[in-house]
Amino acid sequence: MLNHRPLFKHIRNHDTLFSELAMARNAHAQCLGLNDYAYHKTPKFITADGRRLTIEPERSLIVQNYHSFTGVKPILQQQIPGFYIVNNSDIGFRYPTAAIAGQDAPFIKRFRSEFFHKVDEDRSICRPRNLSYGIKSRGKGDNRQEYEVWVPDEHVQLNPTPLFIDKYGEDLPDDVRDFASLTPVVYGWMGVKRAAFEAIFLDKKNMGDIAINIGLSVDAYNIGAMPDLSYSPVVGSSIAVSNAELEWEVMGYYAPNGAHPTHDQIWSAINHAIEAVGIAVNNIYDKESIATSESKTERILSCIQSQHISTEQVLDWNLKPWEFLQVASMHRRKSHDPNRSVNLLGRLNRLFYQESFKLPSLKKIHDLIALP
């Protein structure tokens, strides 16, 4: 896979990965004639009252099975004028993601890591790394606020608020800051296999000289039936939901060197690009899409709720995200054998590799979405 997807050799090292991705993106931009252009990250969104919000311009579409997205890359290039996929931008991630705040919370709060294995290693062994806490606005429709910090393994149990303050400074809203300090409790888990790639979108008529960089991904995912990923008699499995999702998000933009487009011009271009992809995607997958207004994290919460598990039960269990980084629990025991400790990390791994709900390999997803 490395011959066709060179970024995969940097999958464990984010700094190198994103540096190499930027080089691939800039090289492709030059091939599109953007020779005297500079790249800029998505700017803050400034509200009418002067607040500077960190916004995630993202949309998604959900289907029953990832096979529905066969050939999506060439299809999008054919269906969207001015849409160009960046060569050598393919990358992939295995994301275990926990919902760590409930349905009544003002924001979504999640804990996420990445899974890695040694070459030819038994998939029952996994090593989470690149841990992060994220806070987002609820829903998945309109542009949402998004705040995320990476957490060193040894500090995963500490209050992450100082990290949010350090990263976002005065741009961190008070309500987000207060929410960040609340003690996390695991409500449930989702396991995601993500095949990601990038595109550049040009539309002089509607965006002028601005070119939008779009990150896209095809996600195959499972949602655990129980907060502790144990067997659920309601569904007869430890996995309750298995679906797939296509996401597209504006990552940044190109503008001519020396040009200074206004806030409104930039955000107009961002919103136009998001809508242009959305119109095409909705037309292509209209008959296969699953209608929902819920984000991934909210789908975890709804899934747990459908298992007739109350908030009181979740709070009583008081599962912490870092417990799922351990192969043996210090105080949790198997219900059928109190002498044996629970291996929550093993259960987290089975969210990806349980035989009857096994998620496809990153290579398989990438190969499938690239088919002509």
Side-chain angles (χ1 to χ4, degrees), residues 18 21-22 25 39-44 54-59 86 89 91 93 95 112 146 148 150 194 196-201 210-217 247-254 266-267 269-271 273-274 277:
F18 295 129
L21 177 57
R25 181 194 307 128
Y39 184 75
H40 307 267
K41 292 296 290 181
T42 302
K44 302 294 182 186
T54 302
I55 293 293
E56 175 189 57
E58 178 189 69
R59 301 292 186 273
V86 175
S89 64
I91 191 58
F93 302 96
Y95 284 139
R112 190 166 74 181
E146 178 185 25
E148 182 177 30
W150 302 99
R194 167 167 292 181
F197 57 98
E198 289 199 355
I200 295 174
F201 179 61
I210 296 174
I212 296 294
N213 168 221
I214 303 174
L216 301 100
S217 66
E247 291 189 356
W248 58 101
E249 177 183 358
V250 170
M251 312 301 292
Y253 67 96
Y254 286 93
I266 296 168
W267 277 98
I270 288 172
N271 290 327
I274 286 287
V277 177

Side-chain angles (χ1 to χ4, degrees), residues 139-211:
K140 77 176 191 70
D142 297 328
N143 292 345
R144 299 180 296 161
Q145 293 185 68
E146 178 185 25
Y147 303 88
E148 182 177 30
V149 292
W150 302 99
V151 185
D153 292 10
E154 63 273 18
H155 295 155
V156 68
Q157 298 187 36
L158 300 181
N159 181 349
T161 305
L163 297 175
F164 281 99
I165 295 171
D166 182 64
K167 181 173 181 179
Y168 297 101
E170 295 302 313
D171 292 332
L172 186 68
D174 290 344
D175 52 356
V176 175
R177 175 176 175 152
D178 293 341
F179 189 64
S181 66
L182 299 180
T183 303
V185 175
V186 172
Y187 282 74
W189 285 91
M190 174 185 284
V192 181
K193 287 283 196 77
R194 167 167 292 181
F197 57 98
E198 289 199 355
I200 295 174
F201 179 61
L202 308 174
D203 184 346
K204 277 192 171 291
K205 179 181 177 181
N206 293 290
M207 304 191 310
D209 290 331
I210 296 174

Side-chain angles (χ1 to χ4, degrees), residues 72-80 83 216 246 280-281 284:
V72 67
K73 292 172 75 173
I75 290 172
L76 290 178
Q77 287 203 128
Q78 294 164 8
Q79 296 294 319
I80 307 173
F83 182 91
L216 301 100
L246 173 65
V281 168
I284 296 165

Side-chain angles (χ1 to χ4, degrees), residues 195-242:
F197 57 98
E198 289 199 355
I200 295 174
F201 179 61
L202 308 174
D203 184 346
K204 277 192 171 291
K205 179 181 177 181
N206 293 290
M207 304 191 310
D209 290 331
I210 296 174
I212 296 294
N213 168 221
I214 303 174
L216 301 100
S217 66
V218 170
D219 298 343
Y221 67 83
N222 290 329
I223 301 178
M226 302 286 285
D228 64 352
L229 296 175
S230 59
Y231 176 87
S232 167
V234 177
V235 295
S237 172
S238 62
I239 293 173
V241 175
S242 186

Side-chain angles (χ1 to χ4, degrees), residues 60-65 69 140 221 241-245 285-294 299:
S60 70
L61 180 137
I62 304 161
V63 296
Q64 194 70 42
N65 188 282
F69 295 127
K140 77 176 191 70
Y221 67 83
V241 175
S242 186
N243 289 143
E245 185 169 17
Y285 298 104
D286 177 57
K287 295 181 179 179
E288 299 173 82
S289 64
I290 299 173
T292 180
S293 60
E294 293 183 323
R299 276 171 258 159

